[in-house]
Amino acid sequence: MDLLQKLNEEQYNAVTYSDGPLLILAGAGSGKTRVITYRIAHLIKVAGIPPYAIVAVTFTNKAAEEMRNRIKGLIGPIGESVMIKTFHALAVYILRRHGDAIGIAPNFTIYDSRDQESLIKDILHDIHIDPKAVKPSMIAEKISSIKESSHYIQGGDITLLLPKYHSFNFQEIFTSYQQKLKQSNALDFSDLLIYTVQLLRNSQVLTTLQSRWRYFMVDEYQDTNFAQYLIAKYLASQTKNICVVGDDDQSIYSWRGADIRNILNFEKDYPDAKVITLHKNYRSTAPILQAASYVIKNNYRRKDKKLTSHRGDGEPITVCTANNEYGEAEYVINTIVSLKHTEQYSNRDFAIFYRTNAQSRIFEEHCRRENLPYIVVGSVKFYERKEIKDILAYMRFMANPDDTVSLLRIINTPSRGIGASTIEKLRDAAYLHTTSEWDIIANNQNYSYKLSPALHSFKELMQKLIDKVKDIPSHYRLSEICISILTDTQYKSTLESENSIEARGRLENIDAFVNSIVEYEHLHPEATLFEFLQDISLLSPADETNATAPEGNNAITLMTVHNAKGLEFPVVFLTGMEEGLFPHANAIDSDEGIEEERRLCYVGITRAKDRLVITSAELRRSWGTTQFKEASRFISELPPALCQFQHYSSSYNNWDMPKTNNNNYNYRANNSQTATALHNNDSHYTVNQRVKHPSFGVGKITAIQGKGDNVKLTIQFLNGFTKTFLEKYTPLEPLS
């Protein structure tokens, strides 16, 4: 096959290896898709394998379609007969044809997430739980997590998996949910995989499928969960002609059920397996690739591999520490403007990566100020996010109680028992008396309108908040108004109680919003709520003209590192590289968590083709307070010889930094500590040393005071708290 001449030696060996188990470790940028498609083409054209005997499984419909088109381009229309599907699509194919063997009718309905939530609402109604008091999406998320666990699939006791923190009977909901699915002849996405596993345990069905399908290929094998692992294992159990392609260094989806052990243990599952590693990287320059290798080699759970760059030398890695997060964004945008001018890059050549969606806000604002078009991938723009619109609606209503649109948005957000019928009656009364809905509520006695208890409580709540606005700026700051909204309305506590991935993301976004208000206060200390809302409206995407651009246009790309997997850009900015942010605070206390965060960092680095810029901030606001941030451990793992280190101080260097959460400790005071305080001979510790407290977790010693038994340690923890302890009575674990 002439096309094989375009392959390097490792790719050639992987493509031409036909029978027996094969593990292809495809390093970043090593031509994974090319190897998969060429291998399928070679099996058909050279090895003489019928196309219908080959199954290729991947994770997205887009990847499946790309694979199909490439194969057709290599061998023509015959490539159409190859079964190329996602895991879920393959499961549907099998269940439609053979599901009756386990009691599943072929005409089953597939329930998506919205269908799941509707079903859960019905169940909550049946057991007399207000669906507005319990978020159906949270319950659906937990149900899926239970069903996709190895414990559940293997028939373990479900009670061991049920959450213990709910006031209601979760098992009752789970049982009823499964019963109603069955009554409706419906399967959710988890069921598609689980029932396929169950079906493949039927020897007759398995034999039927194995008689047709003889060769199996699984893409992104490091991302498979337990059910997907079993499906592949069962289908290939007869011929052992299974080829899996993946990179253990890019396993970053454990929170979605992916199990890195599937790829790490492949040789245990198949002792006679052939392992081929694709070492040559065609994407990145040598410094970028070497930097990635230096970082990822610190992981223990991985297969050793050394990538080499096909492109050769390039620019060194830029590592910039900014004075604060505003300076970080300013530096990134200034660098983009400079590179566009000096090296003729286009906007589409730049990507800004961050660990959490909440971090996009400040980069969006800087893009708008510089009139740079941008797109936000995988998330709505900051001011379009539900939680931000909710809080802004409260603020707009407080500024203008006649704002009916804002009132109707917040009247039952969060849920407070004000139903649709109550709202409809309220609107009718306002229409009848040609006044606003709030006027009816606030002055109900004037209209002979009886308020329900819930509506009466809402009236008192909002009157309290409205009264605070009148005192701005004399008594209340804008940030205090925002925090009052979050606490008095129980908006924040409601999200915290959900304890879901979605809720945590919303809390991070609210945190970013509070921080933006604090920044605004420093710039405009006398600003009123009306002025703030006016300025926000000018920044809001709803009022933008050409500040943003749709995907595919010449625009800067903003995205989380998770969303960047599989993509590449000439210039990448990896931002927010600080302890507690990247690596994330949720992962920092476990080896497994740190290793996945390091793999995520590796993914971010290896997206860059020409230039990589890594940034961090010395100070970052969290919930309106300023915190000292320690540079990410991943920065210290970079080879210094390949890096150019910079420090950037923005025009916002002279912020009057607010005090941290506890003990009236001010970061500026830390900078002015005496030499004696910094190097206290009576202490076993030193300033800037990282320690771990049994209750508060990981932190950094920022001050040491006192002598003898009275030595006090001031520690700033990654959770935002600053505490002072007597060293003698405080059990600390030194970390550095």
Side-chain angles (χ1 to χ4, degrees):
M1 191 175 180
D2 293 338
L3 289 173
L4 294 182
Q5 297 176 1
K6 297 183 179 182
L7 305 175
N8 64 37
E9 182 179 356
E10 296 158 353
Q11 292 173 334
Y12 180 91
N13 291 337
V15 167
T16 56
Y17 187 88
S18 56
D19 292 345
L22 172 65
L23 169 61
I24 302 174
L25 292 173
S30 60
K32 169 180 70 79
T33 305
R34 167 175 283 196
V35 168
I36 295 172
T37 53
Y38 274 59
R39 188 171 189 274
I40 293 174
H42 183 266
L43 284 172
I44 297 171
K45 279 293 193 180
V46 179
I49 306 300
Y52 58 79
I54 303 172
V55 178
V57 188
T58 187
F59 275 82
T60 66
N61 290 309
K62 182 180 179 181
E65 187 62 26
E66 180 184 359
M67 199 179 298
R68 186 177 293 104
N69 290 334
R70 288 200 185 191
I71 293 170
K72 286 167 57 180
L74 292 173
I75 61 176
I78 192 174
E80 284 279 7
S81 300
V82 179
M83 181 165 292
I84 306 174
K85 294 182 177 293
T86 66
F87 267 106
H88 288 92
L90 180 65
V92 171
Y93 180 92
I94 294 172
L95 290 171
R96 294 279 192 213
R97 288 156 179 79
H98 306 283
D100 55 353
I102 55 173
I104 297 176
N107 63 335
F108 62 84
T109 299
I110 301 172
Y111 276 6
D112 61 17
S113 57
R114 291 186 178 181
D115 297 322
Q116 283 181 278
E117 292 175 23
S118 294
L119 183 59
I120 291 169
K121 285 181 182 178
D122 293 340
I123 294 170
L124 294 174
H125 181 269
D126 292 343
I127 60 177
H128 309 294
I129 296 178
D130 186 358
K132 296 175 182 177
V134 181
K135 202 166 184 178
S137 61
M138 179 270 294
I139 295 177
E141 180 182 304
K142 184 59 184 177
I143 288 175
S144 296
S145 174
I146 291 172
K147 291 166 71 170
E148 292 180 9
S149 68
S150 59
H151 184 82
Y152 180 83
I153 294 172
Q154 292 174 320
D157 183 4
I158 187 178
T159 60
L160 300 177
L161 304 174
L162 297 173
K164 306 295 192 295
Y165 49 82
H166 291 297
S167 58
F168 53 87
N169 189 332
F170 197 99
Q171 184 171 6
E172 181 182 7
I173 295 175
F174 185 93
T175 303
S176 181
Y177 175 82
Q178 291 297 96
Q179 289 174 345
K180 286 185 177 293
L181 281 176
K182 188 174 182 179
Q183 292 169 2
S184 304
N185 187 28
L187 305 181
D188 61 23
F189 277 88
S190 299
D191 288 333
L192 294 176
L193 301 178
I194 293 166
Y195 285 123
T196 299
V197 170
Q198 184 179 338
L199 184 61
L200 294 178
R201 288 169 177 158
N202 182 304
S203 59
Q204 185 175 350
V205 172
L206 184 60
T207 300
T208 300
L209 294 173
Q210 290 176 337
S211 66
R212 176 182 176 183
W213 296 335
R214 294 160 46 196
Y215 289 83
F216 303 88
M217 295 197 65
V218 183
D219 190 18
E220 303 288 3
Y221 193 63
Q222 77 280 350
D223 293 334
T224 52
N225 61 24
F226 185 66
Q228 292 160 341
Y229 159 81
L230 288 178
I231 291 171
K233 187 176 182 179
Y234 282 137
L235 289 174
S237 60
Q238 184 181 50
T239 66
K240 300 293 192 299
N241 292 332
I242 180 171
C243 170
V244 301
V245 187
D247 183 5
D248 51 300
D249 290 335
Q250 297 186 66
S251 179
I252 59 174
Y253 297 122
S254 66
W255 50 276
R256 283 193 329 208
D259 192 340
I260 193 174
R261 293 174 299 180
N262 293 345
I263 192 169
L264 294 179
N265 295 337
F266 184 83
E267 294 159 90
K268 292 182 180 179
D269 292 333
Y270 304 94
D272 57 339
K274 174 79 170 177
V275 180
I276 298 175
T277 303
L278 306 183
H279 290 104
K280 186 163 289 186
N281 175 285
Y282 293 89
R283 176 186 299 149
S284 306
T285 60
I288 294 172
L289 202 59
Q290 291 173 35
S293 298
Y294 268 83
V295 171
I296 199 62
K297 73 179 183 181
N298 290 282
N299 274 6
Y300 292 100
R301 294 200 307 165
R302 65 183 295 265
K303 293 182 177 293
D304 189 44
K305 61 186 81 69
K306 185 177 180 180
L307 297 181
T308 58
S309 173
H310 181 72
R311 298 184 58 196
D313 293 336
E315 297 293 325
I317 312 301
T318 299
V319 181
C320 179
T321 303
N323 58 327
N324 51 53
E325 74 264 39
Y326 203 94
E328 179 187 39
E330 191 174 81
Y331 171 81
V332 169
I333 300 306
N334 288 347
T335 303
I336 290 174
V337 172
S338 176
L339 289 174
K340 285 177 62 179
H341 177 71
T342 59
E343 301 195 21
Q344 305 303 307
Y345 282 114
S346 299
N347 291 320
R348 65 170 60 91
D349 295 327
F350 299 97
I352 302 173
F353 297 163
Y354 34 80
R355 179 61 180 83
T356 67
N357 279 312
Q359 294 169 256
S360 76
R361 190 263 314 167
I362 197 165
F363 294 107
E364 290 185 60
E365 291 184 358
H366 275 73
C367 284
R368 284 194 281 267
R369 287 171 184 151
E370 294 296 327
N371 199 31
L372 292 172
Y374 69 93
I375 56 174
V376 181
V377 176
S379 175
V380 296
K381 293 181 175 62
F382 187 82
Y383 290 106
E384 291 179 340
R385 295 167 188 169
K386 178 185 181 303
E387 57 277 10
I388 305 303
K389 293 176 72 173
D390 288 344
I391 304 307
L392 281 172
Y394 272 104
M395 300 178 89
R396 291 189 175 110
F397 177 77
M398 290 162 65
N400 176 23
D402 290 327
D403 182 352
T404 297
V405 172
S406 295
L407 172 65
L408 294 179
R409 181 178 185 94
I410 65 175
I411 193 169
N412 199 44
T413 303
S415 175
R416 49 178 64 94
I418 301 175
S421 66
T422 299
I423 295 172
E424 191 63 30
K425 291 176 182 177
L426 180 63
R427 299 187 70 177
D428 289 343
Y431 179 81
L432 177 64
H433 296 284
T434 60
T435 188
S436 68
E437 281 80 355
W438 175 247
D439 188 32
I440 297 292
I441 296 172
N443 305 294
N444 63 294
Q445 66 279 1
N446 296 340
Y447 303 104
S448 300
Y449 187 88
K450 185 177 181 180
L451 300 180
S452 66
L455 206 53
H456 183 75
S457 297
F458 176 73
K459 170 185 175 179
E460 292 184 335
L461 168 66
M462 296 313 301
Q463 194 61 66
K464 175 184 175 183
L465 291 173
I466 291 170
D467 289 341
K468 289 185 178 183
V469 175
K470 300 174 182 177
D471 292 324
I472 291 179
S474 58
H475 292 91
Y476 294 99
R477 299 170 60 141
L478 289 170
S479 56
E480 292 174 322
I481 291 294
C482 184
I483 292 171
S484 290
I485 292 170
L486 294 168
T487 55
D488 294 352
T489 68
Q490 298 184 332
Y491 196 102
K492 183 184 176 192
S493 61
T494 299
L495 287 174
E496 289 172 337
S497 67
E498 289 181 16
N499 195 32
S500 65
I501 295 172
E502 178 186 1
R504 289 196 292 272
R506 295 189 183 281
L507 284 167
E508 289 173 344
N509 291 335
I510 294 171
D511 179 13
F513 182 59
V514 174
N515 296 335
S516 74
I517 296 177
V518 175
E519 295 172 9
Y520 185 89
E521 288 173 335
H522 282 282
L523 297 174
H524 311 281
E526 300 300 318
T528 65
L529 179 59
F530 303 88
E531 292 168 337
F532 171 74
L533 292 172
Q534 175 181 294
D535 289 347
I536 285 291
S537 69
L538 296 175
L539 286 174
S540 175
D543 297 320
E544 293 170 10
T545 53
N546 59 353
T548 61
E551 189 172 0
N553 288 0
N554 188 20
I556 299 166
T557 301
L558 279 64
M559 63 173 67
T560 65
V561 190
H562 279 100
N563 283 322
K565 188 166 179 289
L567 304 177
E568 59 183 37
F569 299 89
V571 184
V572 165
F573 295 87
L574 193 56
T575 68
M577 293 294 289
E578 304 141 24
E579 290 291 300
L581 188 56
F582 198 173
H584 199 278
N586 291 342
I588 214 159
D589 287 330
S590 77
D591 292 339
E592 292 81 5
I594 287 296
E595 290 212 350
E596 178 144 339
E597 291 289 298
R598 186 175 282 112
R599 292 194 294 269
L600 187 60
C601 180
Y602 175 84
V603 167
I605 293 173
T606 55
R607 301 311 93 191
K609 298 169 67 176
D610 303 336
R611 290 179 177 269
L612 173 66
V613 181
I614 296 175
T615 64
S616 63
E618 294 174 328
L619 299 172
R620 191 176 293 273
R621 286 196 174 97
S622 179
W623 295 103
T625 64
T626 301
Q627 299 175 9
F628 173 82
K629 303 300 291 187
E630 181 181 359
S632 170
R633 68 191 71 191
F634 304 146
I635 290 179
S636 67
E637 294 171 357
L638 295 169
L642 298 178
C643 301
Q644 290 183 340
F645 295 92
Q646 300 179 5
H647 187 276
Y648 183 84
S649 293
S650 76
S651 55
Y652 295 86
N653 186 44
N654 295 320
W655 279 342
D656 180 20
M657 296 298 177
K659 294 177 180 180
T660 51
N661 300 53
N662 294 293
N663 297 319
N664 294 320
Y665 180 78
N666 189 293
Y667 176 70
R668 285 190 170 184
N670 177 40
N671 280 345
S672 64
Q673 297 294 321
T674 65
T676 301
L678 293 174
H679 305 283
N680 191 314
N681 293 329
D682 289 344
S683 175
H684 295 90
Y685 304 93
T686 59
V687 169
N688 294 328
Q689 184 174 3
R690 293 174 67 248
V691 295
K692 184 177 180 180
H693 189 278
S695 299
F696 295 97
V698 176
K700 181 176 182 178
I701 298 175
T702 56
I704 303 175
Q705 297 174 314
K707 294 185 177 183
D709 292 343
N710 295 318
V711 172
K712 296 179 181 179
L713 307 176
T714 300
I715 305 173
Q716 185 158 40
F717 295 97
L718 293 175
N719 60 14
F721 290 100
T722 297
K723 297 280 189 181
T724 299
F725 306 89
L726 279 171
E727 179 180 331
K728 182 179 178 180
Y729 302 105
T730 306
L732 296 174
E733 177 187 347
L735 298 181
S736 63

